[in-house]
Amino acid sequence: MIEKRIDELIRLIDKANYEYYTLDKPTITDQEYDRYMQELEDLEKNHPEFKRDDSPTSRVGGQIIDEFKKVTHEIPMLSLGNVFNEEEIMAFDERIKKVVPNPKYVAELKIDGLSVSLVYKNGKLVRAATRGDGVTGEDITHNARTIKSIPLTINKPIDIEVRGEIYMSKASFNKLNENGENFANPRNAAAGSVRQLDSKIAASRNLDCFIYHLPDPEDYNIYTHYDALRFMKELGFVTNPNNQKINDIKELLAYIEKWTKKRSTLPYEIDGIVIKVNDLSDQQKLGFTARNPKWATAYKFPAEEVLTKVKDIIFTVGRTGQVTPSADLEPVRVMGSVISRATLHNEDYVTSKDIRVGDTVAIKKAGDVIPEVVKVITERRDGTEKKFAMIHKCPICHEELIKKDEEAAYYCPNEHCPAKKQEKLIHYTSRHAMNIEGFGDRIIEDFYNLGYLKDYDDFYTLDKHKEELMKLEGFGYKSINNLLEEIENSKKNSLERLLFALSIRHVGTKTADILARNFKTIDSLMRASFEDISEIKDIGPIIAKSVIDYFKEEKHQRLIQKLKDYGINMTYLKNVNTNETEFTNKTFVLTGSLGRFTRDEAKERIESLGGIVTSSVSKKTDVVIAGTEAGSKLTKAKDLGITIWDEENFINNLSKY
Ligand code: IVH
């Protein structure tokens, strides 16, 4: 009896959800819905033995996971190429027409959220995952289950994967920020909510989801994208009501114009229009480039320009001592973020644009790019504006600034400048350096000012100040312990991370890796001569001199000794085959998708055999490994006459060792 009633209630609630979210045609009132939910909750509480995994009551969250599990996408999750104007849209259409004479399209709104893959087994949601790098994403099932527009059970008991976009409506975003959160835009808020271990947080954030892609349509006798959208809607997914079939380029331009105008009336943010070839066999003929389908593209709305006032021009000091002017602006909203700072790069930039304190300026922000001042609105000047003058003393330590030949930038030469030191400490903890999570700029600044953190070795004695640190505002037992644990873990890092973290001039991640691999330990690197270092492939005399100069200084030698005493690993830990191999000291570029490896796996294998993997093809590249759907990198490699291996070739070479 009870079990039957539970089943019945779940059926009624699921049906109500489908009508409300998918069809946008509710047939029961909110009160009736609430009554069903209440009855279900009560029954489940009193009879937990009958509680079903796919019960809508589980949407309130509560499941907490320990860590995000990695998920491999069987069909890679590709992203889209971009077009920015009418001319590029026409060129896209022309490219399509070379393969498909009379293409029909579907135009869709480009929802500004984060893409998600949803896997259903036997009609039940079993896995939700983020895109990640396209091949490997993160399992976010616990959070996806809290999103009401994602059905827990679909209308047919089939196995299926669908893809779409998780987003946050403008209203939910505003409410969230009014309640004390400080997200820059709805996309960040949605991404931040999905990346939570505790699903209660996602449940409280009111996320939504539109489904727009069926990766494996052949399984369901579907021949067009539009039918795939219809099919997914029938299953209970929410598809966007503004998706539209497009017969020719004229209709496409009209669709774009319409939504460019109506964009602000939508309850969620969009950042462009997606254009997809409708016929699936046409899509197949067109195929893919390395990263994108050739049968689709995204028209991106132009970067928004807004006017605001320059309140002040301030100067910041970076880790190298470079002093950069930035505009302190009257806060304005651009592309969904509130902007109050724009970089002014250097003295030449400011003077060539004649940007003055008090000026009204047009600023622009495109995507995640740092906002830029486009131009000064000189008509708005009233004579009170103050002309820009570059400073000649460090704003922090007041040392006389220097200019390096040929460079537009000024530098603070003071070794002990607190700004430089703090920036270096921030760099030391950063992701590609020692990767010590939990240190924001503010914490480093506070710890520095309190005297706990002056140089890198101080990280490893922070535990001595645990009691005092716990008393600081914003800290507690747990956060300090997490921080200390992260610091402890960083001791085990492989040598290349430390070399990068030390902020040696000209030593970026790639150079750090080459040095670590060649010298294996910091001692042998410190003993090396200028010739030893400069002889290494991809390391020139400038880097060699910089490394030699760094380790020549006694204070650096003392620092290394201290770090050693605290137990920081100083050895290269990646497992590298020391024998000469087909890969030794060769530079590789990976492009396209490999069937048997993820990018990271392939990179690891190459590195373990002594090769170096870089991201762009140049004359210095020795081998390009091209998977399927390889694109411009492969073309470039061919142009440059670089050796090209396909996956089979790669596997053959690997199997020799
Ligand atoms: S289709 C293979 N359709 O935009 C097809 N993507 O810049 C893959 N997006 O990664 C995507 N709205 O996260 C598609 N209607 C839409 C979309 C959409 C938003 C996102 C998606 C994708 C990114 C590409």
Side-chain angles (χ1 to χ4, degrees):
M1 256 317 274
I2 306 256
E3 197 176 4
K4 267 228 171 90
R5 181 63 185 156
I6 286 182
D7 286 349
E8 173 69 4
L9 285 166
I10 291 181
R11 197 185 60 76
L12 288 167
I13 294 166
D14 281 354
K15 179 166 169 281
N17 273 339
Y18 173 64
E19 287 165 351
Y20 181 85
Y21 288 103
T22 307
L23 304 181
D24 201 13
K25 280 195 194 102
T27 56
I28 63 169
T29 63
D30 286 1
Q31 288 80 355
E32 278 171 302
Y33 184 88
D34 290 345
R35 269 208 304 277
Y36 289 153
M37 280 295 269
Q38 193 58 54
E39 188 186 344
L40 180 61
E41 250 171 54
D42 292 346
L43 285 176
E44 284 175 347
K45 207 153 102 208
N46 295 328
H47 304 276
E49 68 277 19
F50 295 133
K51 185 170 159 88
R52 280 172 37 181
D53 277 353
D54 63 344
S55 168
T57 56
S58 66
R59 293 202 189 271
V60 295
Q63 193 192 346
I64 304 175
I65 59 167
D66 295 333
E67 56 173 357
F68 288 99
K69 273 201 260 84
K70 294 265 174 278
V71 163
T72 306
H73 300 295
E74 275 175 36
I75 304 177
M77 281 183 86
L78 300 179
S79 116
L80 298 171
N82 293 318
V83 289
F84 294 95
N85 51 44
E86 199 172 312
E87 205 182 317
E88 290 177 12
I89 296 172
M90 306 287 245
F92 168 77
D93 184 49
E94 289 306 320
R95 276 200 303 279
I96 302 281
K97 280 184 179 144
K98 280 197 188 124
V99 184
V100 179
N102 185 20
K104 301 278 182 274
Y105 298 103
V106 174
E108 298 175 12
L109 304 183
K110 187 168 179 317
I111 315 297
D112 202 6
L114 64 141
S115 41
V116 67
S117 143
L118 303 175
V119 174
Y120 289 76
K121 287 258 165 338
N122 205 14
K124 309 262 183 232
L125 175 67
V126 293
R127 194 195 79 188
T130 61
R131 189 172 96 89
D133 62 6
V135 176
T136 316
E138 281 179 336
D139 191 323
I140 53 155
T141 315
H142 66 303
N143 286 329
R145 292 174 65 86
T146 68
I147 301 175
K148 298 201 187 75
S149 40
I150 295 181
L152 299 174
T153 307
I154 51 177
N155 292 333
K156 276 190 189 148
I158 53 172
D159 293 356
I160 192 169
E161 179 187 0
V162 297
R163 292 177 183 172
E165 198 86 352
I166 293 180
Y167 67 96
M168 187 181 281
S169 70
K170 291 176 188 169
S172 300
F173 169 73
N174 289 335
K175 213 157 92 195
L176 188 63
N177 273 359
E178 274 158 25
N179 287 336
E181 295 291 341
N182 193 15
F183 287 107
N185 53 49
R187 175 168 37 87
N188 286 0
S193 310
V194 156
R195 288 221 71 238
Q196 294 285 341
L197 297 170
D198 180 352
S199 65
K200 272 234 162 60
I201 299 178
S204 72
R205 296 271 171 93
N206 222 349
L207 296 167
D208 259 302
C209 182
F210 281 123
I211 296 298
Y212 50 63
H213 187 57
L214 180 62
D216 217 352
E218 285 92 19
D219 291 356
Y220 314 99
N221 291 328
I222 285 169
Y223 303 101
T224 65
H225 174 63
Y226 201 75
D227 283 344
L229 290 171
R230 197 154 37 202
F231 173 63
M232 293 190 289
K233 185 171 172 181
E234 274 162 26
L235 290 178
F237 296 105
V238 182
T239 55
N240 191 285
N242 307 306
N243 297 334
Q244 188 178 310
K245 274 199 216 173
I246 299 283
N247 286 308
D248 54 38
I249 199 83
K250 230 174 88 205
E251 275 182 31
L252 179 60
L253 296 175
Y255 182 92
I256 290 177
E257 199 187 325
K258 172 176 157 187
W259 286 108
T260 306
K261 283 200 188 116
K262 283 182 70 173
R263 177 182 178 192
S264 63
T265 65
L266 287 164
Y268 43 82
E269 292 206 343
I270 60 171
D271 59 339
I273 302 294
V274 180
I275 307 149
K276 301 173 180 174
V277 168
N278 189 26
D279 195 291
L280 298 181
S281 62
D282 287 350
Q283 286 191 3
Q284 223 165 27
K285 276 187 217 143
L286 286 153
F288 299 85
T289 70
R291 247 171 304 144
N292 310 316
K294 288 189 192 165
W295 43 262
T297 194
Y299 164 75
K300 287 284 208 62
F301 291 134
E304 197 185 335
E305 273 185 32
V306 295
L307 299 187
T308 186
K309 254 195 158 165
V310 178
K311 287 202 297 191
D312 198 1
I313 293 180
I314 54 160
F315 298 88
T316 50
V317 185
R319 127 180 110 99
T320 60
Q322 186 173 340
V323 175
T324 311
S326 349
D328 183 15
L329 305 165
E330 296 271 2
V332 269
R333 271 192 97 76
V334 202
M335 311 266 305
S337 334
V338 175
I339 302 299
S340 54
R341 232 355 124 71
T343 176
L344 299 175
H345 302 289
N346 53 48
E347 182 183 22
D348 292 355
Y349 185 89
V350 190
T351 44
S352 69
K353 289 194 187 289
D354 189 17
I355 301 165
R356 305 178 186 183
V357 173
D359 263 340
T360 299
V361 290
I363 63 163
K364 178 170 93 171
K365 180 173 180 277
D368 291 333
V369 184
I370 301 169
E372 289 260 355
V373 172
V374 187
K375 60 172 185 264
V376 174
I377 315 295
T378 42
E379 302 83 63
R380 297 261 188 111
R381 280 187 178 157
D382 62 10
T384 59
E385 296 75 20
K386 275 210 306 261
K387 254 194 150 169
F388 171 77
M390 185 63 200
I391 51 167
H392 295 284
K393 290 213 159 90
C394 173
I396 308 295
C397 71
H398 311 294
E399 182 94 1
E400 195 78 29
L401 301 180
I402 53 160
K403 212 168 177 174
K404 295 181 183 160
D405 338 313
E406 308 288 318
E407 277 190 51
Y410 281 86
Y411 290 84
C412 169
N414 177 8
E415 280 292 332
H416 305 287
C417 173
K420 270 164 82 169
K421 287 199 150 177
Q422 286 172 31
E423 291 296 328
K424 282 187 184 172
L425 291 166
I426 292 167
H427 170 76
Y428 187 84
T429 63
S430 65
R431 196 156 65 92
H432 293 294
M434 294 303 267
N435 194 22
I436 307 176
E437 243 184 79
F439 271 107
D441 300 7
R442 277 302 284 275
I443 300 181
I444 298 231
E445 198 184 316
D446 287 353
F447 285 15
Y448 183 90
N449 289 331
L450 287 164
Y452 298 142
L453 204 52
K454 293 281 180 210
D455 207 343
Y456 308 134
D457 53 304
D458 296 330
F459 281 108
Y460 304 96
T461 52
L462 270 181
D463 55 345
K464 281 198 209 140
H465 310 290
K466 200 167 161 179
E467 296 298 318
E468 293 101 298
L469 294 176
M470 266 190 293
K471 287 190 203 122
L472 295 178
E473 208 185 300
F475 282 99
Y477 177 79
K478 199 165 165 217
S479 53
I480 291 295
N481 272 339
N482 284 347
L483 217 50
L484 294 175
E485 199 180 314
E486 279 281 324
I487 294 170
E488 190 60 30
N489 285 340
S490 76
K491 292 183 178 173
K492 293 183 233 135
N493 283 338
S494 179
L495 174 62
E496 72 285 359
R497 282 187 175 275
L498 178 66
L499 291 180
F500 177 56
L502 290 172
S503 283
I504 305 169
R505 249 193 122 200
H506 305 297
V507 178
T509 46
K510 186 180 155 202
T511 303
D513 206 54
I514 298 173
L515 290 172
R517 177 179 321 176
N518 276 275
F519 292 97
K520 303 282 184 288
T521 64
I522 205 148
D523 289 338
S524 71
L525 176 62
M526 288 169 82
R527 274 197 307 268
S529 68
F530 173 81
E531 285 74 26
D532 293 337
I533 301 176
S534 58
E535 264 169 19
I536 298 169
K537 186 167 175 267
D538 287 337
I539 304 264
I542 295 175
I543 298 175
K545 178 165 183 321
S546 172
V547 173
I548 294 282
D549 286 351
Y550 182 89
F551 288 117
K552 213 162 55 194
E553 284 201 40
E554 230 170 85
K555 65 170 189 273
H556 292 148
Q557 295 171 6
R558 272 199 307 272
L559 168 73
I560 301 293
Q561 188 54 49
K562 272 196 201 160
L563 292 174
K564 254 190 216 171
D565 294 344
Y566 291 137
I568 284 84
N569 168 61
M570 306 256 167
T571 310
Y572 187 57
L573 296 178
K574 290 191 187 164
N575 204 358
V576 173
N577 187 327
T578 44
N579 300 326
E580 186 79 10
T581 76
E582 204 75 49
F583 295 81
T584 310
N585 284 332
K586 283 191 184 154
T587 306
F588 288 77
V589 172
L590 294 158
T591 178
S593 29
L594 299 172
R596 293 225 232 145
F597 312 84
T598 64
R599 278 275 164 99
D600 282 346
E601 281 163 3
K603 183 165 183 270
E604 223 166 81
R605 295 290 294 270
I606 295 167
E607 288 178 347
S608 73
L609 289 165
I612 299 150
V613 178
T614 63
S615 56
S616 57
V617 178
S618 72
K619 275 183 276 177
K620 287 192 191 156
T621 312
D622 293 297
V623 181
V624 167
I625 300 177
T628 49
E629 299 146 21
S632 59
K633 286 185 192 172
L634 178 58
T635 322
K636 187 159 178 200
K638 281 182 185 155
D639 289 347
L640 293 173
I642 291 163
T643 308
I644 294 162
W645 292 353
D646 61 11
E647 186 164 2
E648 206 164 318
N649 238 315
F650 176 42
I651 292 170
N652 284 341
N653 279 312
L654 285 177
S655 61
K656 292 184 196 158
Y657 307 101

